[in-house]
């Protein structure tokens, strides 16, 4: 090894000497030849190493009546489907054989049991470890309950809890089938990124004299970005699309017919206009964002068409081509809870006429009976996927408020390297408020805990813990040290 550099140096000096005697025209010709040869080499390398990718979708509409998720105001089970529900998958394998699967579901949440079952199938049937799987739900409030515990916590007849568990078993076998289809259907592909904008998401935290209330707030923060990932086959055909938006999937209200809300309509429109394509919707940090307007079926359809139209705008924008290099990682970020309410407060709440309040207080008294008892930390999945060493996709668990996408995009910004922040990924059964939203109070992360079976709000450092997990993983993926957080 020690002699090699010396030998190279000697050869270099001989080359230089010989060139010195060449006529100028010869040198120019030689430069042209060398440059052509280099381009040929680069071209052949690019031809030889590509992504391979597969897409698939399967219907996951319940086959029998179910209790629907999302609105407590429903007083009976589902009555058929307005629009079918789907699970969709995109599998990407890079030039070194590194693989990941995105699985999107027209469902409201991913409770622990469902996450465990899906990850078990991914690992044991398809060889995909948890960090190689990105599960994302559209958060439609027009789908089935997927947790018997939620059915019980909401005071609904347990027969619908059994029905939810039966549905989940069917769902898991369909997702198993879906992953198999996407993996076996892989073929050579190009992967490109572009983005557009769409304006119907509106902040829903309205400041009033009595504190923050749910209501349209046109002056609150929003994220109108529509990131678009396109997967093209060898002939340039559009095999698959992934598109994101940060907005609650709740335009339609508490109808008892199953549907995928605006995101379902957007996917349907895109797949109708591009019949060979599977279009996956990846929900963003829409925890405190509502569609506007959101009165009825017409609004849901219109919002869906607006989003599909924005995706078309993204497709017509000049894309960044992502080289076939993939990395993914995941941490379970421990989020501490604030102190539980005093026992006397809980005992009085347990007598409340509001069933949700009373059941919640009784559950806490039963689970943490002794003074000083404190719930264990909540483990929030934080996943980082980097494609082509340029596109960084951060997938956060829970229902993150928009502050996360705005802050992370600002702090992680690099020239020519887009940042995509998804929420509602991998484990979804809790709002994820920012420090600001926690301090302001209101629904997300404070009042909502009783509907999500959380003992109490998260502690004040929730945002810093999540941002730190993202920065640590992004630093490792980029192989660089990030500037300190603001
Ligand atoms: Zn929600």
């Amino acid at each position: 090894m020690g002699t090699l550099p010396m030998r190279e140096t000697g050869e270099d000096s001989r080359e230089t000497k010989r060139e010195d005697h060449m006529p100028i025209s010869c040198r120019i010709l030689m430069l042209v030849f060398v440059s052509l040869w280099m381009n040929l080499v680069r071209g052949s390398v690019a031809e030889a190493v590509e992504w391979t990718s597969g897409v698939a979708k399967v219907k996951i509409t319940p086959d029998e009546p179910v209790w629907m998720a999302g609105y407590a105001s429903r007083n009976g089970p589902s009555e058929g489907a307005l629009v079918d529900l789907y699970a969709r998958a995109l599998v990407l394998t890079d030039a070194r054989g590194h693989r990941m699967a995105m699985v999107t579901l027209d469902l409201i949440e991913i409770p622990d049991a469902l996450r465990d079952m899906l990850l078990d199938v991914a690992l044991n049937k398809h060889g995909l470890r948890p960090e190689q799987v990105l599960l994302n739900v559209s958060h439609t409030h027009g789908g089935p309950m997927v947790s018997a515990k939620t059915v019980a916590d909401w005071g609904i007849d347990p027969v619908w809890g059994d029905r939810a568990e039966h549905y989940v078993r069917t769902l898991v076998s369909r997702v198993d089938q879906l992953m198999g289809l996407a993996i076996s259907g892989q073929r050579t592909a190009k992967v490109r990124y572009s983005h557009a904008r769409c304006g119907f998401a509106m902040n829903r935290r309205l400041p009033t004299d009595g504190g923050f209330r749910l209501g349209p707030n046109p002056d609150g923060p929003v994220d109108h970005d529509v990131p678009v990932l396109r997967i093209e086959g060898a002939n340039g055909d559009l095999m698959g699309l992934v598109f994101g938006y940060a907005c609650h999937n709740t335009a339609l209200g508490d109808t008892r017919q199953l549907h995928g809300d605006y995101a379902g309509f957007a996917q349907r429109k895109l797949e109708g206009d591009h019949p060979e394509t599977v279009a996956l919707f990846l929900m963003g940090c829409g925890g405190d964002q509502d569609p506007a307007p959101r009165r009825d079926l017409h609004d849901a359809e219109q919002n869906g068409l607006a989003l599909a139209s924005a995706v078309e705008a993204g497709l017509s924008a000049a894309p960044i081509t992502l080289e076939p290099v993939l990395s993914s990682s995941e941490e379970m970020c421990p989020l501490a809870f604030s102190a539980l309410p005093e026992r006397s407060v809980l005992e009085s709440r347990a007598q409340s006429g509001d069933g949700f309040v009373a059941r919640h207080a009784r559950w806490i008294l039963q689970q943490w009976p002794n003074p000083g008892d404190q719930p264990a930390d909540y483990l929030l999945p934080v996943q980082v996927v980097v494609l082509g060493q340029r596109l960084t996709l951060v997938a956060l668990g829970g229902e993150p408020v928009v502050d996360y996408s705005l802050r992370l995009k600002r702090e992680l910004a690099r020239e020519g390297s887009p940042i995509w922040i998804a929420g509602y990924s991998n484990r979804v059964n809790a709002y994820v408020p920012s420090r600001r939203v926690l301090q302001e109070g209101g629904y997300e992360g404070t009042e909502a805990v009783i509907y999500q079976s959380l003992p109490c709000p998260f502690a004040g450092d929730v945002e810093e813990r999540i941002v730190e997990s993202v920065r640590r993983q992004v630093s490792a993926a980029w192989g660089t040290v990030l500037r300190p957080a603001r």
Side-chain angles (χ1 to χ4, degrees), residues 422-446:
Y424 294 78
S425 297
N426 298 316
R427 181 189 187 189
V428 185
N429 57 2
Y431 277 99
V432 183
S434 58
R435 176 179 288 274
R436 172 184 71 83
V437 166
L438 260 186
Q439 284 171 349
E440 288 174 354
Y443 187 74
E444 298 87 359
T446 306

Side-chain angles (χ1 to χ4, degrees), residues 210-251:
F212 281 80
R213 293 280 163 259
L214 286 176
N217 175 9
D219 300 315
V222 292
D223 179 2
H224 283 165
D225 198 18
V226 180
V228 178
L229 195 69
R230 67 183 92 169
I231 317 299
E232 295 170 357
N235 307 326
D237 54 310
L238 190 62
M239 292 166 54
L241 269 177
V242 187
F243 63 103
Y245 198 51
C247 182
H248 255 70
N249 199 11
T250 51

Side-chain angles (χ1 to χ4, degrees), residues 70 108 139 141 204 248-250 286-290 399 424 428 430-431 443-444 448 452:
I108 193 163
H139 202 49
H141 286 38
R204 68 177 199 184
H248 255 70
N249 199 11
T250 51
D288 56 346
Q289 310 289 305
D290 266 346
E399 301 188 49
Y424 294 78
V428 185
Y431 277 99
Y443 187 74
E444 298 87 359
Q452 299 194 307

Side-chain angles (χ1 to χ4, degrees), residues 54-58 89 91 126 174-186:
V55 292
K57 72 172 185 174
V58 295
V91 172
H126 306 290
R174 289 190 190 166
V175 173
D176 177 15
Q177 179 196 2
L178 174 79
M179 286 182 181
L181 286 170
I183 290 170
S184 62
Q186 286 188 101

Side-chain angles (χ1 to χ4, degrees), residues 53-67:
S53 177
V55 292
K57 72 172 185 174
V58 295
K59 203 180 284 185
I60 56 167
T61 315
D63 301 323
E64 53 188 359
V66 289
W67 206 276

